[in-house]
């Protein structure tokens, strides 16, 4: 363990770096929760990756109407094409699983290079088929990158600040989404600049790799597991008790939550084609509606550390349902004054509940299986998104967008019921305890955690 700790001691921040870190808005709150400069540097680097995750993911939503027009796609055809694109998360399983063998850091760097490269190539797509192919390949790396960011954050942050850290990551994803909306709706579209340039802007994350190679260290928990000979010999270990139960629950809940994907993807298109708003107005609404969610995201993570994951996740998810119902069903002549609050409720609720739900994938599985668990969760997510868009492609031929979104909204309702009744509250407990790993001390930043007192069987019985 000495060697593991030594490899990270050189990251201890200097006084100058500490002052520089103090300029980041969320850092004072992080320090109040006991996070060291080492934690803050790690979280800031992962947040940069999360920002571009949100940016790249949102492009298909903020410019969907223009992409459809340029590629000659109907709403139904566009929904089917997006379903194909989201299948790119299936090969991402292999990338994420390799993180349990060769390390989180290496696979994260590879993933960033992959998605930034295919983002640039998408800008050159001459037709819908090539666009779908490049976006499919980008999705492979984008999903893997996202899973690894959350995994590394979970493994490095202390138990009583894990939710807070996840809130920071979620906030940066939201900022990336807002940046895409502002850039296109406020700059590109009014100036007549093609949506293709949005994908060109997704290329600079390649420069982030150079920074991450120098500044971002490997997860302490992964290094401890590797040095202790605790890496698994086959991915099938995740199907053994007690992991199987949590795997099934995480997969089912993730699938159900992602059935709202079609409504999210077509929200701005709905405002333009069904409510008669301009692209700039629709994008501006997205930005304004999401603004309250920025501080709430961090607050929600902190609240989940204090009051529990379930109550916070279910509360904000319920807010999303109320807002979504109003967004799609309030009379069209009520206009922006009615649509904007509903849109804000939907966005804030989904943004605040997402990081809380993400923590379960990290907290319920041991280090040797955490990457594999993330890959399963990602696969469930892509199947949910694909099912959402695929079902919508059929439903939209005979039903309105509002009716389609309402039908698919049954999924999240069922997910909330499962979270409220079958998931444990893991807040305030170290990963060795929540996952039942507890077979030895693990270095986390400058702290050495004691062995967990209960084995896997005791944890499974307690839950």
């Amino acid at each position: 363990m000495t060697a593991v700790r030594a490899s990270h001691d050189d990251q201890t921040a200097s006084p100058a770096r500490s002052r520089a870190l103090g300029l980041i808005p969320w850092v004072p709150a992080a320090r109040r929760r006991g996070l060291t400069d080492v934690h803050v540097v790690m979280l800031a680097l992962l947040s940069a990756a999360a920002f571009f995750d949100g940016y790249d993911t949102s492009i298909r939503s903020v410019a969907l109407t223009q992409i459809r027009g340029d590629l000659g796609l109907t709403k139904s055809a566009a929904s089917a094409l997006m379903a194909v694109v989201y299948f790119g998360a299936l090969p991402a399983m292999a990338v994420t699983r390799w993180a349990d063998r060769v390390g989180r850091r290496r696979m994260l760097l590879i993933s960033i290079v992959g998605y930034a490269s295919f983002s640039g190539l998408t800008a050159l797509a001459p037709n819908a088929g090539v666009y779908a192919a490049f976006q499919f390949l980008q999705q492979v790396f984008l999903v893997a990158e996202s899973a690894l960011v959350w995994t590394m954050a979970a493994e490095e942050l202390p138990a009583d600040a894990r939710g807070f850290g996840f809130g920071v990551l979620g906030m940066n994803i939201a900022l990336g989404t807002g940046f895409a909306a502002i850039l296109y709706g406020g700059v590109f579209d009014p100036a007549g600049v093609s949506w293709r340039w949005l994908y060109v802007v997704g290329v600079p994350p390649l420069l982030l790799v150079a920074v991450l190679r120098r500044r971002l260290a490997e997860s302490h928990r992964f290094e401890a597991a590797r040095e202790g000979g605790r890496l698994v010999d086959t991915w099938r270990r995740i199907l053994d008790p007690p992991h199987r139960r949590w795997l099934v629950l995480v997969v089912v809940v993730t699938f159900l939550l992602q059935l709202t994907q079609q409504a999210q993807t077509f929200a701005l298109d709905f405002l333009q084609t069904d409510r008669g708003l301009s692209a700039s107005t629709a994008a501006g609404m997205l930005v304004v509606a999401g603004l309250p969610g920025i501080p709430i995201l961090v607050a929600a993570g902190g609240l989940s550390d204090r009051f529990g994951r379930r109550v916070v996740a279910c509360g904000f998810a319920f807010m999303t349902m109320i807002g979504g119902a109003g967004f799609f069903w309030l009379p069209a002549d009520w206009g922006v004054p009615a649509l904007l609050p509903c849109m804000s409720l939907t966005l804030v609720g989904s943004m605040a509940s997402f990081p809380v739900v993400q923590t379960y994938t990290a907290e319920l599985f041991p280090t040797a299986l955490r990457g594999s668990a993330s890959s399963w969760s990602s696969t469930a997510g892509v199947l949910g998104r694909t099912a959402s868009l695929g079902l919508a492609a059929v439903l939209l031929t005979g039903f309105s967008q509002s009716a389609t979104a309402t039908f698919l909204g049954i999924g999240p309702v069922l997910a909330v019921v499962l979270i409220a009744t079958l998931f444990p509250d893991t807040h305030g407990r170290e990963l060795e305890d929540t996952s039942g790993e507890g077979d030895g001390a693990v270095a986390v930043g400058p702290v050495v955690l004691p062995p967990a007192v209960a084995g896997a069987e005791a944890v499974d019985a307690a839950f």
Side-chain angles (χ1 to χ4, degrees), residues 203-223:
V203 175
L206 288 172
L207 302 176
L208 177 62
V209 172
V211 179
L212 291 174
R213 286 185 63 185
R214 295 177 57 246
R215 303 288 187 182
L216 187 66
E218 182 56 86
S219 158
H220 287 84
R221 282 186 165 93
F222 176 80
E223 288 191 338

Side-chain angles (χ1 to χ4, degrees), residues 150 163 166-167 170-171 297 350-360:
W150 294 98
F166 275 31
M171 178 190 70
L297 265 170
S350 62
M351 286 191 297
S353 60
F354 173 72
V356 179
V357 174
Q358 282 286 96
T359 59
Y360 279 121

Side-chain angles (χ1 to χ4, degrees), residues 49-194:
F51 176 89
F52 283 102
D53 179 1
Y55 174 83
D56 280 287
T57 301
S58 66
I59 292 176
R60 290 187 293 270
S61 297
V62 300
L64 180 59
T65 302
Q66 292 68 35
I67 293 173
R68 288 201 299 111
D70 197 8
L71 300 180
L73 299 170
T74 64
K75 280 192 176 185
S76 179
S79 187
L81 181 142
M82 295 304 174
V84 172
V85 167
Y86 281 118
F87 264 118
L90 295 180
M93 285 188 69
V95 179
T96 313
R97 280 180 183 167
W98 268 101
D100 281 339
R101 292 196 172 189
V102 303
R104 286 68 163 108
R105 176 180 175 275
R106 183 187 303 180
M107 298 312 297
L108 176 62
L109 297 178
I110 291 173
S111 297
I112 292 174
V113 170
Y115 86 70
S117 299
F118 283 109
S119 177
L121 289 172
T122 299
L124 305 176
N127 53 53
V130 176
Y131 174 88
F134 284 149
Q135 281 294 280
F136 175 94
L137 293 170
Q138 185 199 39
Q139 193 74 6
V140 173
F141 296 101
L142 191 60
V143 170
E145 178 266 346
S146 179
L148 292 170
V149 162
W150 294 98
T151 298
M152 289 195 72
E155 292 182 343
E156 292 296 277
L157 294 171
D160 55 1
R162 194 178 304 126
F164 168 82
F166 275 31
V168 171
L169 293 179
M171 178 190 70
N172 279 276
I173 290 176
L175 288 172
T177 299
F179 176 69
I182 293 172
L183 184 62
Y184 189 67
V187 180
F188 284 3
D189 187 65
V193 178
S194 171

